[in-house]
Amino acid sequence: MSAEAAKVIPVGIANVAKIIDAQRAFFSTGATRSLDYRAEQLKKLGEAMQKYEAEIFAALKADLGKCETETFLTEIATTSEELRHTLRHMRHWAQPRTVPTSLIVQPAKSEIRPEPKGVALIIGPWNYPFNLIGAPLVASISAGNCNVVKPSELAPATSAVIAKIVRENFDPAFLACVEGGVEVSTALLEQRFDHIFFTGGTGVGRIIMEKAAKFLTPVTLELGGKSPTIVTKHANLDHTANRLTWGKFVNAGQTCIAPDYLLVERSVAGPLVEKLKARITKVYGQNPKDSPDYARIVNQRHLKRIASYLKDGTVAFGGEVVESERYIAPTLVTQPKLDAPLMQEEIFGPVLPIVEYNTPEEALAITQARDQPLAMYVFSDKASEVEYFLDRQTSGDACVNDLMVHFGNSSLPFGGIGPSGLGAYHGQRGFEEFSHMRSVFTRRMHFEMPLYGAPYGNKLGILKRAMKLLKYL
Ligand code: NAD
């Protein structure tokens, strides 16, 4: 099917194969290889984010009860920053890079040329439903791919706005949005893509990888996990409490890199809990349910799941659950049972278990007994303490004396390790994730390598002597 014909295909599950055919046809015209074309599409996306801002605000309010400021900061500004950084640097990233040529294959020119992969599929979650489609899309467009995006059905209002932005601004042969749930994802995964970028839970990540294996499609898996936060006695407790209140309770704790649980040195545990209580009350008021700035749980299923964790320790603060309003108060749980679901599953909600430890070894034993997390946080003013934990506990990313802000730095790759993810993106790393880094080795035509090929005669001796001389052997 031609790219022109694609413009009249209704975008929906029944037409998934036709959309991908049309995108392949368009990709093969070479149009997306042009850096001007890519920049034009990115600018269009940036303009659309401004034009539809009010609709994005309304959608996030409907889906997650998010206030406009939080939506702006965590959905729009983070995506815009990624877009701005990419527009500024992508021409440089796209340049072929000349690399040295090993002596044994000299003389030649060796280059790495980033190339678009083809047609990319981007599947998003519901918790930051705009940014987690927008930011990978920026990376994929900058790399020169055609794209199908599938936003989460659990954030239906945001999914509808994304579909509208795509429909009203982009050629479906370049960018299409297919809405729906598991059945739509499944239908999409029956098709061959050239890259699949998935953000979501670890269990579904496994399904995505299995489906991708059928076509040997490369995948990026941005998954979740239990991200520990370690607070030592050398931390400034006021700053720690302030940052924890923001990091744990923004979006009602429904953040993949939220501090999942706290490990706090026993001598400062009591004071930290008191400071947390005071800070939460200051930020969200005596009754956070009435705060215009406190978000809601996405649906009843997740509300019941999170509420069930409250029995796994002592509720030291909060704990109120109002099903009809999808509300769970900012909650602190002390003395959590380490083998209970609260300390075994990703919480993904506004409940913070606080575990006290006596020695760094004890804290480490708790983090190491769990899967490699997406993020790790250490609060301490003592560099040797920070390094102790950074050296011994791996994680996708780490952030010292703050929470989650590393996500906003486009110069840092963002991604997990092991069960918390595969691959990374943001900035140049995102461009490369969606590119094929092609090696191109160029020899001058007239040059004949005297040592190659039979008859070998005494070439072995010459080769060995030459390599020894040059310290290759
Ligand atoms: P999810 O895995 O349930 O859903 C994500 C997407 O996958 C949705 O679009 C959904 O329609 C689709 N999907 C669901 N089941 C599927 C199936 N069987 N086959 C194919 N597709 C399927 O995740 P979620 O509940 O939307 O998001 C929460 C999870 O995402 C948490 O674990 C969180 O940590 C993680 N997350 C990770 C990041 C990150 O950047 N690493 C960011 C946000 C969320």
Side-chain angles (χ1 to χ4, degrees):
M1 170 172 309
S2 74
E4 274 310 303
K7 289 184 184 158
V8 293
I9 308 171
V11 175
I13 185 170
N15 294 311
V16 157
K18 284 185 189 161
I19 295 163
I20 296 162
D21 278 355
Q23 294 206 347
R24 283 205 186 290
F26 183 60
F27 181 73
S28 64
T29 65
T32 66
R33 287 182 177 262
S34 149
L35 288 167
D36 287 339
Y37 180 84
R38 301 181 204 179
E40 206 180 291
Q41 304 307 310
L42 286 174
K43 284 180 191 151
K44 222 192 271 186
L45 184 62
E47 283 158 15
M49 281 198 288
Q50 289 185 1
K51 184 173 159 201
Y52 297 78
E53 187 182 84
E55 290 177 56
I56 299 170
F57 283 155
L60 267 299
K61 186 78 192 165
D63 287 334
L64 290 161
K66 257 192 191 182
C67 69
E68 292 188 359
T69 312
E70 207 169 289
T71 295
F72 183 76
L73 275 173
T74 61
E75 304 274 2
I76 298 177
T78 42
T79 313
S80 301
E81 165 54 18
E82 199 53 29
L83 201 145
R84 184 201 63 81
H85 180 84
T86 300
L87 268 174
R88 177 178 287 183
H89 297 288
M90 77 177 191
R91 286 175 196 276
H92 172 63
W93 300 336
Q95 289 312 306
R97 276 162 242 170
T98 304
V99 293
T101 301
S102 302
L103 201 71
I104 50 167
V105 289
Q106 291 265 15
K109 181 180 175 191
S110 301
E111 292 170 299
I112 300 168
R113 292 190 192 175
E115 290 207 324
K117 288 186 175 177
V119 178
L121 170 64
I122 297 171
I123 300 177
W126 53 263
N127 64 327
Y128 290 91
F130 188 82
N131 171 267
L132 294 172
I133 289 288
L137 181 60
V138 166
S140 186
I141 292 176
S142 74
N145 298 309
C146 294
N147 305 281
V148 176
V149 297
K150 207 295 282 172
S152 173
E153 73 282 13
L154 299 186
T158 312
S159 173
V161 176
I162 293 172
K164 185 176 175 191
I165 292 175
V166 169
R167 191 172 58 245
E168 291 183 358
N169 296 279
F170 293 91
D171 180 345
F174 171 68
L175 169 58
C177 175
V178 184
E179 288 190 272
V182 178
E183 70 298 343
V184 169
S185 274
T186 307
L188 284 165
L189 292 165
E190 296 299 322
Q191 307 296 318
R192 183 173 75 79
F193 285 91
D194 301 296
H195 191 90
I196 298 175
F197 188 103
F198 169 79
T199 306
T202 300
V204 180
R206 285 198 181 93
I207 297 173
I208 303 289
M209 203 161 171
E210 269 178 34
K211 301 260 185 192
K214 181 175 167 196
F215 300 106
L216 295 176
T217 302
V219 290
T220 309
L221 301 176
E222 293 281 338
L223 309 176
K226 285 186 89 61
S227 298
T229 299
I230 300 161
V231 182
T232 81
K233 64 174 183 245
H234 295 109
N236 175 311
L237 294 187
D238 287 314
H239 291 320
T240 305
N242 293 356
R243 290 166 199 183
L244 271 168
T245 301
W246 176 75
K248 182 68 189 184
F249 301 114
V250 69
N251 208 28
Q254 301 163 109
T255 305
C256 57
I257 45 173
D260 187 277
Y261 62 99
L262 204 59
L263 285 162
V264 53
E265 203 164 340
R266 195 175 297 280
S267 59
V268 292
L272 181 63
V273 169
E274 290 314 308
K275 284 179 192 293
L276 277 168
K277 289 179 188 172
R279 182 65 184 178
I280 296 168
T281 308
K282 183 167 183 216
V283 170
Y284 296 113
Q286 286 292 344
N287 190 356
K289 190 147 58 73
D290 299 333
S291 165
D293 299 328
Y294 189 65
R296 293 297 183 261
I297 306 303
V298 67
N299 59 26
Q300 291 296 333
R301 180 169 67 84
H302 281 284
L303 182 122
K304 289 196 169 81
R305 179 185 60 77
I306 300 162
S308 76
Y309 296 142
L310 300 182
K311 65 179 180 343
D312 294 342
T314 306
V315 174
F317 186 79
E320 191 191 353
V321 178
V322 183
E323 280 193 19
S324 59
E325 295 187 34
R326 290 187 280 132
Y327 169 81
I328 298 183
T331 298
L332 306 177
V333 176
T334 52
Q335 295 168 314
K337 295 179 200 128
L338 294 185
D339 55 355
L342 174 66
M343 282 301 291
Q344 293 292 330
E345 297 169 4
E346 180 183 13
I347 296 170
F348 219 57
V351 177
L352 183 64
I354 301 168
V355 183
E356 297 179 19
Y357 72 86
N358 291 309
T359 62
E361 292 76 15
E362 210 181 290
L364 207 60
I366 293 169
T367 62
Q368 288 180 342
R370 286 157 182 76
D371 284 338
Q372 295 131 304
L374 183 56
M376 177 174 79
Y377 305 105
V378 185
F379 283 80
S380 169
D381 263 342
K382 207 169 162 193
S384 60
E385 274 179 348
V386 172
E387 292 306 320
Y388 175 88
F389 290 111
L390 290 182
D391 275 356
R392 289 164 179 80
Q393 173 62 56
T394 188
S395 62
D397 313 310
C399 180
V400 177
N401 292 332
D402 211 335
L403 298 154
M404 312 204 299
V405 284
H406 59 288
F407 184 88
N409 183 356
S410 300
S411 300
L412 283 174
F414 177 78
I417 175 169
S420 61
L422 182 74
Y425 73 125
H426 282 185
Q428 183 166 7
R429 184 67 173 82
F431 171 86
E432 290 175 359
E433 188 78 359
F434 279 98
S435 299
H436 169 54
M437 304 304 279
R438 185 186 194 189
S439 294
V440 179
F441 184 94
T442 308
R443 174 99 77 205
R444 290 232 171 121
M445 184 60 93
H446 62 255
F447 186 79
E448 210 52 70
M449 271 298 282
L451 289 174
Y452 285 179
Y456 293 113
N458 64 348
K459 286 178 184 174
L460 180 61
I462 300 172
L463 257 175
K464 280 190 161 177
R465 273 200 301 284
M467 289 178 80
K468 257 191 190 141
L469 197 69
L470 295 163
K471 306 221 182 301
Y472 270 70
L473 283 180

